[in-house]
Amino acid sequence: MSTLDLKTARTVIAAARTHGRSAELKPLTVVVLDAGGHVVAAEREDGASIKRFEIAVGKAHGALALGMGSRAIMARAEQQAFFVAAVTAAVGGSLIPVPGGVLVRDGAGTLLGAVGVTGDTSDHDEAAAVAGIEAAGLTAQVD
């Protein structure tokens, strides 16, 4: 697979939401971006608070912008706060440096895109993203 198509994105979203329901997470918003940062698919569960779409996009977009999962971006922000603030400004604010933004790779290691999840704690958001990616037979990169 060299692109992240709509069918695969829908599989990722469905599995991430299923994980969220089975783990009794708060309502989630899940966004799947292709490698160019374009939205392939997104869903906001009933009861999710406002602006969750933008937060999920920011997690996924930030991962793509820096080539690392948003957990790794958070660690970098703790060490280089000015750098991450500058990057956030450079990308128009679309970078959320907390877990929940996960890069998506195929079996050959090719970058296909990223998934952003928000709605519960950042660790739980990341777990839902990973579950969705793996359910689609792809590889999740959180670091």
Side-chain angles (χ1 to χ4, degrees):
M1 176 181 294
S2 61
T3 62
L4 195 53
D5 61 18
L6 181 59
K7 180 179 177 183
T8 303
R10 287 179 172 161
T11 298
V12 169
I13 290 171
R17 291 186 57 217
T18 296
H19 173 86
R21 297 297 53 84
S22 67
E24 299 181 2
L25 303 184
K26 293 177 183 173
L28 299 177
T29 298
V30 183
V31 173
V32 179
L33 305 181
D34 66 17
H38 304 99
V39 175
V40 178
E43 286 190 20
R44 178 190 160 274
E45 291 184 328
D46 295 342
S49 59
I50 67 169
K51 297 300 183 181
R52 288 296 180 172
F53 173 80
E54 291 85 353
I55 294 168
V57 168
K59 288 181 177 186
H61 188 262
L64 287 170
L66 289 176
M68 62 181 74
S70 59
R71 175 176 296 279
I73 297 171
M74 181 179 74
R76 186 142 185 206
E78 291 168 349
Q79 299 300 314
Q80 297 178 309
F82 291 117
F83 172 75
V84 172
V87 171
T88 302
V91 300
S94 188
L95 188 154
I96 307 292
V98 297
V102 180
L103 294 174
V104 180
R105 296 192 180 274
D106 66 12
T110 302
L111 179 67
L112 302 179
V115 175
V117 178
T118 184
D120 205 273
T121 67
S122 296
D123 290 338
H124 290 156
D125 294 345
E126 180 182 82
V130 169
I133 293 164
E134 291 177 350
L138 298 169
T139 301
Q141 179 187 336
V142 297
D143 57 1

